Amino acid sequence: MTASADSPALKPEPAPGTGAPRRSILRRWWFWAIVVVALIVAAGASAAYVGTRALEAKTELESAQALVPQLQSEAMALDLGAADATLERVMGHTSRAADLTDGVLWRVGEGFPVLGKNLTAVRELAAVTDQVMTEVAAPLVGVAGSIDPASFTPVEQVVDLEPLIAAVPAIEEATVAVGRAVEAVDSIDTEGTIGPIADARDKLAALLAELAPTLETLNTIVPMLPPALGSEAPRTYVLMFQNPAESRALGGTALSFAVITVDNGAIDLLPAVPTSRAGFPTYPESIVPLPDGVNEIYPGYLGTFIANATTRPSFGTAAAITRENWRRSFGMEIDGVLSADPVALGYVMRATDPIPLSNGDVLTGDSTVTVLLNSVYRWFNSGDTTLDNISQDAVYAEAVEATFDQLTGGQVDPAILVAALLQGWEERRLLFWSTNPQEQAQLEANGLTGELPVSDDETDRVGLYFHDNVGSKLNYYLQQSVALGTASCRDDGRQSNRVTVELTNTVDPADAATLSPSIVGTWKSEGVPRAAQRLWVVLYAPPGASITGATVDGEPAAIADLHDTDYPVAKLVVLVRPGETVTLTYDFASAEPGTKALEAQVTPLVNPTEIVTKPLDCATVAGE
C-alpha cells in the first residue's frame, strides 16, 4: 500500500541543527508594516523635498518677474550697462527656477493627482521663462550693447552701418525664439491649477504677445536699413512735408519737398523744393492710374497737382504721384519717398538743441508746430500771395536744413530720437515707400505703409478722413473727437455701427478779421464766411459693409453711393463757423452676421483726435 504524501513516514526530516521549518518572510506582517512605513516616510520626504523646491522656484520666478519692468525701462532709455546688469540678475533667477523644477523626484511628483498638474505647469513655465531670457533678451541686449548710441548717431552726415549689419542675425534668432516661446506658453495647460500658476502663465503670455509683434517689426526694418542707407548701392529719396493745417485725407497738403541722397551711410540733403515755385505743372487728368471709384470721391484733385498727392488716404498712391512728378519735372528716377509733418518734426526736436531761425524765432520740441503751422503765416502778411509764399517757403527750408544738420551732425540724444521716431510712425505722421519690391512687400506685410484700414474676424476698422475745402490753414484751429458705437439691431444678424464726429472751430469770432489771408484762404471766392472751415469728412466702411445713413447736427444728410475699390464710402461736406461745433454721424451695417469690435483710423491732424466708445441705441439707428 502506498503511503500518502501527508503520512508522517514521508515528511522530510529537518536538517540537522535547523529545528522546525521557517515561514516565508514575505508572509510576515511586520515586514509589510516596515515596507509601508518606509514608503510613507519616503513619500513624505519626497513631497517635502518637492514642495520646498516648488516654493523656491516660485520665489525665483517672482523675483525675475519683478525685475522685468526695470530691464524694460533701462533698455528703452538705452542705459545698456544697467540693462546688462539687470539681465544677469533676471537670468540668474530664471535659470535657478528651471533647475529647481527639473529632476527625477519632481517628475515623479507630476504623476500624483491634482498636485502633479500644478508641478507640470510650474516646470513648463520656468523652462519657457528661462528660454525667453537666454534666447531673446540676452541676444537683444547684446546687440544693443554692441551699438554705442553716440557712435551710431550720424557724425558729419555719416552713419556707421556695421553695427546694423551685425545686428540682423541676432534679431532674426530672437524673433524665431519668441515664436517658439509663444507656442510653448499656449500649450501649457493651467486648467485645474491653483490661481497663482494660472496668473503667472497669463502674465507671461501677455508679455510675449506684446514682444512678438515688436520683434517682427524689428526683424522687418533692421535688415532693410543698411541697403536703404546705401550699403549696396547709392539711393535717392524724395522727402515730402505734409501740412495738416490744410488737411488732406492722408494728413495734409504736400507743400514742400526735398531730395536726400545716401551712399554707404553718407547722407546729403539737397535744397528744398516748394510746390509754389518749383514749376510742378497742373495736369488735366491724373498722371498715374487711379483705383476704381476714387475720382468720384475726390473729383479733379488726385494726380493732377503734386500738392494734392495726399488727397487719398494711401501713401502708396501719394508716393506714386510724387515719383511720376519727379520723373516728368526733373527727369530723375527716385528710390523711395519719405513723409513727415511738423508735428512729427516737433517730436524729433525734443532730441536736438534749440534751433534759432534767421527771423529771430527758435525751434524747439514745444514751439515747432506753432511756428511752422501758424506763426509763419502771420509773419508774412503783405497781401501779395506770391511774395508771402516765397517768404514762408524760405522759413520752411531753413527749418528743414537746420534740423537735418543737427540730426546728421551728431548733436542729438539717441534715446529721445528713437522714441520720437516711433511716436511719429505709430501716429502715421512718418511714412516710407520704397520702389524696391521686396522692401515694399515687407513693409506691407507688417502694416507699415500708411494704407487703408484692414478689418479682420474680430474687429471692423473704419477710416475717417478730413479734407480742407477752402484752401486755408485754418485746420490749425480745428478740434475733433470721434465716438464709436455698436449694437445688435438687425433681423439679419449683422451688427449696427455708428461713427460720431464732433468738429469745433476754435477761432474766436472776434479774431476772425485779424487772421492773415494765408490762414483764411480763398473764403471769398468759395462763398463762405471769413475764418469758417469747410471740410469734406469722408468715411470708409469695411469692404462688404452697407452704409445706411448719416446726419449733420441731428438732421438726416444725403449721401451719394461712392466707393474706393471695395470700400463703401460716405462723404459729407460741412461748414464749421468760428466758435461753433458741428456733429456728424455715420451708420453702417457690418458685412457678415455676428459681433465685432470697432476701431477707427483717422487723419493725423494738428491737434490729436480723441477716440472713445459709447453705447448705441437701436432706436436711433438709421435704416433700421
Side-chain angles (χ1 to χ4, degrees):
M1 182 176 179
T2 304
S4 72
D6 294 329
S7 64
L10 296 180
K11 289 182 178 179
E13 292 293 327
T18 62
R22 295 182 178 179
R23 297 168 57 190
S24 170
I25 193 171
L26 295 180
R27 296 172 62 187
R28 301 193 183 207
W29 67 268
W30 51 265
F31 172 80
W32 285 110
I34 292 174
V35 170
V36 169
V37 169
L39 286 174
I40 291 173
V41 171
S46 298
Y49 174 78
V50 171
T52 300
R53 291 173 73 91
L55 289 174
E56 291 178 10
K58 173 179 176 291
T59 300
E60 296 291 349
L61 289 174
E62 289 174 343
S63 298
Q65 189 179 64
L67 288 170
V68 168
Q70 178 181 333
L71 176 61
Q72 290 176 318
S73 176
E74 291 165 348
M76 289 299 297
L78 296 182
D79 187 355
L80 302 177
D84 190 57
T86 302
L87 177 63
E88 286 295 324
R89 293 172 62 194
V90 174
M91 291 178 62
H93 290 301
T94 60
S95 176
R96 175 63 177 159
D99 289 342
L100 285 166
T101 57
D102 193 18
V104 175
L105 286 177
W106 188 281
R107 294 298 183 113
V108 169
E110 291 183 22
F112 284 93
V114 182
L115 172 66
K117 197 165 190 178
N118 287 276
L119 294 178
T120 299
V122 170
R123 173 177 55 79
E124 291 173 342
L125 281 169
V128 175
T129 304
D130 191 45
Q131 174 195 342
V132 171
M133 290 299 112
T134 58
E135 298 182 8
V136 179
L140 290 180
V141 171
V143 165
S146 68
I147 301 176
D148 181 358
S151 64
F152 179 67
T153 303
V155 177
E156 296 183 356
Q157 299 185 355
V158 178
V159 177
D160 182 7
L161 301 182
E162 290 305 315
L164 280 173
I165 296 171
V168 171
I171 292 174
E172 181 179 0
E173 291 171 6
T175 303
V176 173
V178 163
R180 289 198 301 265
V182 168
E183 292 179 358
V185 170
D186 288 345
S187 68
I188 296 176
D189 181 10
T190 56
E191 184 178 356
T193 62
I194 60 176
I197 294 176
D199 290 344
R201 186 255 178 215
D202 291 344
K203 288 180 181 178
L204 183 56
L207 174 65
L208 293 174
E210 180 180 354
L211 181 61
T214 302
L215 272 178
E216 288 287 349
T217 301
L218 283 175
N219 201 32
T220 296
I221 293 176
V222 173
M224 288 173 53
L225 287 176
L229 290 170
S231 65
E232 299 173 355
R235 292 198 180 187
T236 301
Y237 300 106
V238 170
L239 177 58
M240 169 195 293
F241 293 97
Q242 295 192 55
N243 187 329
E246 184 178 356
S247 62
R248 293 294 182 266
L250 189 65
T253 45
L255 294 181
S256 187
F257 297 85
V259 173
I260 296 176
T261 62
V262 291
D263 186 2
N264 200 30
I267 309 172
D268 193 19
L269 177 72
L270 303 184
V273 183
T275 59
S276 59
R277 293 181 291 126
F280 291 109
T282 299
Y283 297 94
E285 59 185 26
S286 177
I287 60 176
V288 300
L290 296 180
D292 179 46
V294 166
N295 205 44
E296 285 70 38
I297 305 171
Y298 315 105
Y301 276 83
L302 194 60
T304 58
F305 182 47
I306 194 171
N308 289 320
T310 51
T311 296
R312 182 176 186 247
S314 159
F315 190 54
T317 300
I321 293 170
T322 302
R323 180 189 188 190
E324 185 60 22
N325 269 278
W326 234 258
R327 181 185 290 133
R328 294 189 181 203
S329 295
F330 306 113
M332 182 187 296
E333 292 294 338
I334 62 175
D335 297 295
V337 181
L338 298 96
S339 176
D341 72 2
V343 179
L345 188 62
Y347 298 159
V348 170
M349 290 295 299
R350 300 169 186 163
T352 70
D353 294 332
I355 297 177
L357 299 176
S358 58
N359 68 348
D361 215 322
V362 178
L363 291 181
T364 66
D366 294 328
S367 70
T368 296
V369 170
T370 298
V371 169
L372 297 183
L373 294 182
N374 188 251
S375 298
V376 69
Y377 301 114
R378 290 177 174 272
W379 294 332
F380 305 107
N381 185 19
S382 68
D384 184 331
T385 302
T386 301
L387 182 61
D388 290 344
N389 284 342
I390 290 173
S391 300
Q392 293 156 8
D393 291 341
V395 173
Y396 267 92
E398 183 183 4
V400 170
E401 291 172 8
T403 304
F404 177 83
D405 288 343
Q406 286 221 14
L407 292 176
T408 60
Q411 301 168 323
V412 61
D413 185 315
I416 297 176
L417 177 61
V418 169
L421 294 175
L422 287 174
Q423 183 177 0
W425 193 283
E426 290 172 354
E427 295 178 5
R428 300 171 68 245
R429 300 182 184 277
L430 292 173
L431 300 166
F432 176 67
W433 176 85
S434 175
T435 60
N436 182 296
Q438 291 182 334
E439 291 177 358
Q440 187 61 23
Q442 288 178 315
L443 290 170
E444 291 173 358
N446 285 273
L448 303 175
T449 52
E451 293 302 318
L452 301 179
V454 178
S455 299
D456 55 37
D457 292 340
E458 297 179 352
T459 305
D460 271 339
R461 295 182 176 88
V462 300
L464 188 67
Y465 307 115
F466 303 93
H467 181 111
D468 170 78
N469 195 225
V470 188
S472 74
K473 302 300 182 292
L474 285 166
N475 294 158
Y476 177 82
Y477 301 96
L478 183 67
Q479 295 279 1
Q480 63 287 334
S481 63
V482 175
L484 306 174
T486 64
S488 297
C489 305
R490 300 172 59 92
D491 293 337
D492 61 7
R494 293 192 294 162
Q495 179 172 278
S496 296
N497 306 272
R498 174 168 294 165
V499 179
T500 303
V501 188
E502 192 171 272
L503 303 173
T504 300
N505 185 343
T506 63
V507 173
D508 187 329
D511 295 335
T514 68
L515 298 179
S516 71
S518 294
I519 292 177
V520 297
T522 57
W523 61 279
K524 282 187 178 181
S525 62
E526 295 291 344
V528 301
R530 185 184 181 94
Q533 301 188 45
R534 189 173 67 191
L535 297 139
W536 294 349
V537 184
V538 185
L539 177 83
Y540 277 58
S546 303
I547 297 175
T548 57
T551 66
V552 177
D553 284 336
E555 296 297 323
I559 49 175
D561 185 14
L562 300 171
H563 68 277
D564 181 337
T565 59
D566 54 354
Y567 288 79
V569 173
K571 174 182 173 182
L572 294 175
V573 182
V574 296
L575 186 70
V576 191
R577 292 176 172 81
E580 292 188 353
T581 295
V582 174
T583 302
L584 304 81
T585 68
Y586 301 85
D587 287 347
F588 72 92
S590 297
E592 302 290 341
T595 59
K596 289 185 177 184
L598 183 61
E599 295 179 356
Q601 178 186 100
V602 182
T603 298
L605 297 175
V606 179
N607 298 303
T609 302
E610 180 186 21
I611 302 177
V612 299
T613 300
K614 291 186 176 180
L616 176 59
D617 181 0
C618 289
T620 68
V621 175
E624 298 305 319

